Structures are given as structure tokens and as C-alpha cells.
């Protein structure tokens, strides 16, 4: 209750505030008049205004009456217009119904027209398919099968025949009118096609015929066989069998004759089982290879890898008749390339022909191809196997393996997988033979007895020459197309060669001669391999390591007679100075003091026997060493140059070894001078005899190579 009273009081207050804001009330309050008087004056003014309004209305009564009349007339006119519009609306609804009816009639007529057109088209097509035009009859009967018009009408006849068969399946009686004509035309076309195809097949049987010409003609008219398959399967089978039998005989006869004549062109003096790396060759002018007439060497690649070049792979095959007239002879890999390229080229062309003309694919194409080429492939494989089993030319065998891989890739580029099995069979023959021949060479090296060799000097041995040439040949081919198993064989061969070199070096009693023999052989092998393969190859890196080790050892041996005392002294003292071993250096310092006291007082009788011995040792080691080096170093360097340059067969190798020896000497002499400058040797009177290292450097430049 209290809340409601407070709310009503708030509303009254707000109402009062709103009234006080009114302009009239605010004016009355501000005028200072009594509100009752002010109210009466306001009412008086309102009555006056009301009277004036009544008078004004009375004065305008005529106009108001006229306005009322006009409003009444307008209302009547609008009512008439409303009636007219309602009539129009009714009429429009009737017209809409009529238009809708016309649209329905139009759609119905349009459907009828479309149906009639469709029926007309189908009937026209049906009639055209049934009708046999006169021009078709004339071309099928009289035009040669090679004419394009015959092919055009034959395809049209094929379509009509298919159409009639479809309609007969649907029991269309109208087809019976033309069935007989179409059948007769089909029989006539089949007869003409059969005669043409058999004629082309019989052309294959003619001697010295180029069977690619009739094959191309058959491919051009490959629709003939498709027509026979659809309308005369017996004739199609006859064509198929006749072609397969004919081409099988043609290929077999050709490759038998070609292979027989081809093998006659091989070198008469072939590589035998005696031509191995470890077998000594006593024939004159056959130091490490087997020279043949117009032929490369047994272990040298030379230009034999030209058969693997892009042009060499697809080079024209050898014509035995032409080559026989010129008495030209070839290596086995050249004859093998010619034979396999002829087989690959004919095989790829035949496979493509079979798939296009006889319309076979995948397994059916492979089966048909083997029916045609199977005997030929077996014969070629047998002939190759016979030659390979008697071949001891490892490079020729390795080249043949690479030829097989290259021709297989070439077949794949031509999308011909039919010869994959043939390549596998050849690899199964040649690769084991290659491994066998390489292992024979390895065994021949293992069987080498250096003590039984007729001649053995410090020059590179024929075994290392043969190995270097053979290894370089294999690695050149291996880098172009790596083959699994080659690395293992070559590593085994390299190990055996290293072992036999060490055994041969052991024959020499002088260590220096042993090192010269090893360096000459390692250097020769490295030079050959570096020319043929990458310098960072495994074989080259191994030879560089061995050559570096033996060269360092040889330098120590060759420097020892001339500068051995200085080198020994440097080795004894250099590490002491480097490690700042003061205890050990004190011995040298005491000895130096004793030596100095002995020279100044000449009182040896006062020295104990032990001190006399130490002083004598110092004189024998340091002082004579310095003075001897000062007086003989130039002649020693000259003798060193003469000795080194006469020891090595390769002038470049001798120069390199000499330079390394001089560098070692200069480094040792620099260390020698640094050692003598130590406080332990200050009391020795040798300063005037010490040779400046710069003089050695100037002298060494005289022997620097100019190349």
C-alpha cells in the first residue's frame, strides 16, 4: 500500500512538472495576475473566436454545399469505373483459359511432329540400311581389292550385313528381300579378299624377297581380315594358319642361313684358354696382349665398345656375302650385335604386325608371336650357346651382356615385350660364361710362381698391364650401365693381382729394388685406370693409397745413404723438442758443455771415462754430421736425382718421386736447423757450418719438371 501511494505521488509530480513547462501556463505564472482572472479572460477570448468561426462557416455554406455535390458525383463515376474493371477482369480470365487451351494443343501438335520426324528418320535409315545401291554391287564385283572404292563399299557392305543380322534377330520380314543379294556380295568379297591375301603370303616364299613390302600392303588393308572374321571364319583361319606357317619357315630359314654365314666372318685366330692374365706369353711382340689381324687386343677395350654407342646399336647389319668378298673379319661381339639387331628388328616389326593385322593383344599376341618366331629364337639361342661355350674372350662376353640389356631397353621403347624371354635366355648363357672366364684369369694369377718366371725385372709386369687394361675396360662399360655381380668379380681380381705383385717383389733381395718394382707396377695400373675411368673410383683410390705408401717408404730408403745420419738425428730429437722433454734434452746440454770445456782447456785427463765417452759420442753425432752435410749435400742431391730418374720406367713418375724426396729432405733439414738452434746445442762450434734451408730450396728448383 505504501508502495502504491508513493508511485501515484510520483506520477502527480511528473504531471505537474509537464504542465508547468507549458508555454501558456508559464506566461500566466510570470504575468503576476490572479489565476482566476486570467482564466476568465481566456474563456472570453475562446467565445469570441467561436462566434467568429460560426460566422465564417455560415459565409462559406454555399461553397461547402457545392463541394459536397461534386464529391457525390465523383463517387458515382468511381462506382461505374469499378464495374467496368470488374467486367474486364472477368473477360481476361476467359482469355487466359483460351490461351492455355491453345498452348496444350500446340504442345500436342509439336509432339506429333517430332514423332513423325523421328519415325521418318528411322524409316529412312532402315530403308538406307536395307537398300543395296547399284554402285556397291558394281564395285564389289568388278573393282580390284586394292582400290580405295572397293574398301569403301566393303565397309558399307559390312555395316549392311550387321544390320540385317540384327533385324533378323528381331524377326523383321522386310530384310528377306535383300538378304540374298547381301549374302552373294559377301561371298564374292570374301573370295576376292582370300585370293589377295594368299597372293601376298605366297610372296614371302620367293627367294631373296623383301617381305616387308607385302607386310606393309597387308597392314594397309588390315580391315580385310576383320571382315573375314565376321563373315567367313573358316577363310580367316586359313589365312591365319597359312601366314603363321609361311613366316615361321621364312624366319627360320633366313636366320639359319644368316647365322651360319655370319660365324664364318669371325677371326680365325680366336682367343683360347691359354690367353689368360697369369699365363706367360713367350711369343715375340706379344708382351701383354694377343695381336690378331685387323683386331684389337685380348684385354684392351680400344674401340670395341663402339657397338654400344647409339649409332652402333642400330647400325646396318653385316652382309656376309659383301664382307666375304673383302675378306673382312670381325670380333665376336660385332657379329653378335649384327645377329641380335637383325633378330630384334624383325621381331619387333613382326610383333607389331601380328597385333595390328590379326587383332590380338597381351597373352594371345605373345602366343601367336612365339608360334611364328619360336623356332627361329630357339635356333639362334642354340647357335649363340655353341659359340659362347667355346669363347674365352671376356671383353667380348661382357660387351654381349651389355648389348642384350640395350636391345631389351630398345624393345621396351618400341612397346614390344615378346622378346623378353629371349634376352633372359641369352643372359643365362653368356653371364655365367663371363664369370667362368674371369675366374679362370683369377686362378691363372693365383697359380703364378714368380720364382719360375723366365724374366723378371723392375719394369711393370705383363700381368699388371693386362689387369689394368682389362679392369679399365670393364669399369668403362660398368659406369655406363652398372650390372650386378661385376663389382664382386673385379674386387676379387684386384686382390689377387695385389698379392701376386707382392710375391713377385719378394723375388728381389734388395728392399729398394722391391719398392721400385711395386711403384712401377702401381703407377702403371693407376695411369691406365685414370685414363679410362673416374679418378675417384674404388680401384683408383686403392692404387693411390698403395702407391703413396710404397713411395714414402722408397723415399726413406733412397735418402738414407746420402742423408741417413741427419734424418736419424732429426727423428731422435724432434719429438723431444716438440714435447718439451727437458730431462732428455739435458743430456744433450751436458754433452755440449763437456765438448766445449774439452776444446777450451784441452784437459781430457781430468774427465772421467764415462764423460769422455759421452763427449766422443757427441762429436761423432752432431759436429761431423753438420760438417759432412755442409760439404756433400749438393753432390748428394745430384746423385739422388740420377739414381731416382734411372729407376722408374715412367719419366713423370720418376720426377714426382724425386720432388717428394726433395720436399722430404728440405723439411728434414729445416727441422735439423731448428733443432740445432735449441739451447742444448749453443756451446757447439758449428754455426759457420750450418747450411741455410733456402739454399736447398734453390737447388731443388733446378730439378723441378717443366711439364
Amino acid at each position: 500500500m505504501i508502495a502504491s501511494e508513493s508511485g501515484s505521488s510520483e506520477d502527480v509530480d511528473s504531471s505537474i512538472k509537464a504542465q508547468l513547462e507549458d508555454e501558456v501556463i508559464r506566461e500566466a505564472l510570470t504575468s503576476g495576475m490572479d489565476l482566476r482572472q486570467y482564466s476568465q479572460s481566456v474563456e472570453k477570448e475562446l467565445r469570441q473566436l467561436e462566434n467568429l468561426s460560426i460566422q465564417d462557416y455560415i459565409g462559406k455554406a454555399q461553397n461547402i454545399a457545392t463541394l459536397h455535390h461534386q464529391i457525390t458525383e465523383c463517387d458515382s463515376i468511381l462506382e461505374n469505373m469499378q464495374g467496368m474493371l470488374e467486367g474486364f477482369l472477368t473477360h481476361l480470365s476467359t482469355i487466359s483459359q483460351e490461351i492455355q487451351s491453345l498452348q496444350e494443343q500446340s504442345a500436342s501438335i509439336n509432339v506429333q511432329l517430332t514423332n513423325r520426324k523421328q519415325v521418318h528418320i528411322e524409316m529412312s535409315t532402315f530403308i538406307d540400311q536395307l537398300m543395296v545401291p547399284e554402285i556397291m554391287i558394281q564395285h564389289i564385283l568388278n573393282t580390284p581389292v586394292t582400290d580405295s572404292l572397293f574398301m569403301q563399299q566393303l565397309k558399307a557392305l559390312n555395316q549392311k550385313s550387321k544390320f540385317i543380322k540384327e533385324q533378323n534377330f528381331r524377326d523383321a520380314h522386310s530384310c528377306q528381300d535383300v538378304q540374298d543379294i547381301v549374302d552373294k556380295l559377301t561371298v564374292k568379297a570374301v573370295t576376292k579378299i582370300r585370293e589377295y591375301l594368299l597372293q601376298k603370303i605366297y610372296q614371302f616364299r620367293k627367294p631373296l624377297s623383301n617381305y616387308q613390302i607385302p607386310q606393309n600392303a597387308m597392314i594397309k588393308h588390315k580391315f580385310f581380315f576383320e571382315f573375314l572374321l565376321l563373315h567367313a571364319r573358316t577363310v580367316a583361319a586359313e589365312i591365319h594358319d597359312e601366314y603363321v606357317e609361311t613366316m615361321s619357315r621364312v624366319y627360320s630359314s633366313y636366320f639359319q642361313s644368316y647365322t651360319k654365314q655370319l660365324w664364318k666372318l669371325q677371326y680365325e685366330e680366336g682367343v683360347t684358354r691359354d690367353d689368360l692374365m697369369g699365363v706367360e706369353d713367350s711369343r715375340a711382340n706379344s708382351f701383354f696382349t694377343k695381336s690378331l689381324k685387323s683386331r684389337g687386343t685380348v684385354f684392351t677395350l680400344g674401340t670395341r665398345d663402339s657397338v654400344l654407342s647409339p649409332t652402333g646399336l642400330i647400325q646396318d647389319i653385316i652382309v656376309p656375302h659383301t664382307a666375304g668378298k673383302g675378306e673382312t673379319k670381325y670380333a665376336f661381339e660385332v657379329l653378335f650385335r649384327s645377329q641380335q639387331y637383325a633378330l630384334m628388328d624383325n621381331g619387333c616389326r613382326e610383333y607389331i604386325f601380328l597385333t595390328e593385322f590379326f587383332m590380338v593383344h597381351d597373352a594371345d599376341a605373345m602366343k601367336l608371336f612365339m608360334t611364328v618366331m619360336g623356332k627361329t629364337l630357339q635356333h639362334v639361342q642354340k647357335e649363340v650357346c655353341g659359340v659362347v661355350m667355346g669363347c674365352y674372350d671376356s671383353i667380348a662376353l661382357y660387351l654381349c651382356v651389355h648389348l642384350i640389356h640395350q636391345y631389351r631397353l630398345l624393345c621396351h621403347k618400341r612397346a614390344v615385350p615378346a622378346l623378353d624371354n629371349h634376352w633372359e635366355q641369352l643372359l643365362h648363357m653368356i653371364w655365367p660364361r663371363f664369370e667362368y672366364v674371369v675366374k679362370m684369369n683369377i686362378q691363372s694369377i693365383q697359380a703364378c710362381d714368380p720364382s719360375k718366371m723366365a724374366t723378371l725385372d723392375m719394369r711393370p709386369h705383363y700381368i699388371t698391364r693386362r689387369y689394368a687394361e682389362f679392369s679399365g675396360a670393364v669399369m668403362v662399360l660398368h659406369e655406363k650401365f652398372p650390372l650386378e655381380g661385376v663389382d664382386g668379380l673385379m674386387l676379387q681380381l684386384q686382390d689377387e693381382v695385389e698379392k701376386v705383385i707382392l710375391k713377385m717383389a719378394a723375388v728381389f733381395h734388395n728392399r729398394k729394388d722391391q719398392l721400385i718394382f711395386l711403384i712401377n707396377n702401381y703407377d702403371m695400373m693407376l695411369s691406365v685406370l685414370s685414363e679410362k675411368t673416374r679418378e675417384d673410383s674404388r680401384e683408383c683410390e686403392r692404387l693411390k693409397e698403395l702407391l703413396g705408401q710404397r713411395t714414402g717408404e722408397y723415399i726413406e730408403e733412397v735418402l738414407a745413404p746420402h742423408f741417413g745420419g741427419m734424418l736419424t738425428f732429426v727423428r731422435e730429437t724432434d719429438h723431444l723438442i716438440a714435447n718439451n722433454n727437458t730431462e732428455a734434452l739435458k743430456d744433450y746440454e751436458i754433452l755440449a758443455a763437456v765438448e766445449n770445456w774439452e776444446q777450451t782447456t784441452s784437459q781430457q785427463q781430468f774427465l772421467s771415462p764415462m764423460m769422455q765417452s759421452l763427449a766422443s759420442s757427441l762429436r761423432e753425432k752432431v759436429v761431423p754430421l753438420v760438417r759432412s752435410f755442409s760439404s756433400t749435400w749438393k753432390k748428394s742431391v745430384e746423385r739422388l736425382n740420377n739414381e731416382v730418374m734411372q729407376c722408374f720406367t715412367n719419366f713423370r713418375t720418376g720426377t714426382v718421386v724425386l720432388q717428394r724426396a726433395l720436399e722430404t729432405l728440405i723439411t728434414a733439414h729445416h727441422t735439423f736447423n731448428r733443432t740445432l738452434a735449441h739451447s742444448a746445442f749453443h756451446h757447439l762450434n758449428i754455426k759457420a757450418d750450418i747450411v741455410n734451408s733456402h739454399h736447398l730450396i734453390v737447388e731443388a728448383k733446378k730439378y723441378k719438371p717443366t711439364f
Side-chain angles (χ1 to χ4, degrees), residues 365-391:
M366 296 288 291
K367 183 178 179 181
L368 180 58
F369 177 81
M370 291 306 300
T371 305
V372 175
M373 298 287 293
K375 293 181 180 179
T376 302
L377 295 176
Q378 291 177 2
H379 173 75
V380 170
Q381 293 166 10
K382 182 179 178 181
E383 290 291 330
V384 171
C385 181
V387 177
V388 166
M389 289 300 102
C391 180

Side-chain angles (χ1 to χ4, degrees), residues 227-245:
F227 185 83
L228 294 179
L229 282 177
L230 293 173
H231 304 287
R233 285 191 169 271
T234 304
V235 177
E238 178 187 4
I239 298 297
H240 175 276
D241 297 341
E242 195 70 25
Y243 177 84
V244 170
E245 181 180 1

Side-chain angles (χ1 to χ4, degrees), residues 67 81 87 100 119 134 151 237 242 334 345 438 470 473 487 504 514 545 548 572 627 631 638 645 651 656 692:
L67 179 61
M81 290 181 66
Q100 185 177 2
V119 170
E134 186 67 23
M151 178 67 74
E242 195 70 25
V334 178
D345 194 45
V438 174
F470 178 72
D487 290 333
M504 288 188 288
Q514 294 177 358
E545 179 183 356
E572 291 177 355
R627 293 172 181 172
S631 61
E638 184 178 357
M645 297 307 296
F651 179 76
V656 172
N692 194 319

Side-chain angles (χ1 to χ4, degrees), residues 273-280 299 437-449 453 463 466 493 496 500:
R273 63 183 304 111
D274 295 328
D275 296 308
L276 301 174
M277 287 187 188
V279 176
E280 186 174 1
F299 299 103
V437 174
V438 174
K439 289 179 180 178
M440 285 184 64
N441 283 279
I442 294 174
Q443 292 172 1
S444 69
I445 295 174
Q446 292 173 343
C448 283
D449 187 357
M453 291 183 177
I463 291 180
R466 292 171 178 175
L493 179 61
E496 294 302 327
V500 79

Side-chain angles (χ1 to χ4, degrees), residues 208 253-266 316-330 334-339 342:
L208 303 177
S253 175
Y254 170 75
F255 277 98
Q256 284 182 12
S257 175
Y258 182 70
T259 302
K260 182 178 180 181
Q261 297 176 20
L262 199 63
W263 294 149
K264 294 179 181 179
L265 301 177
Q266 194 172 1
D316 293 340
I317 64 174
I318 297 173
V319 180
H321 179 70
T322 305
K325 287 183 178 180
E327 298 183 357
T328 307
K329 299 297 181 179
Y330 300 93
V334 178
L335 303 178
F336 179 81
R337 184 215 70 84
S338 181
Q339 180 199 49

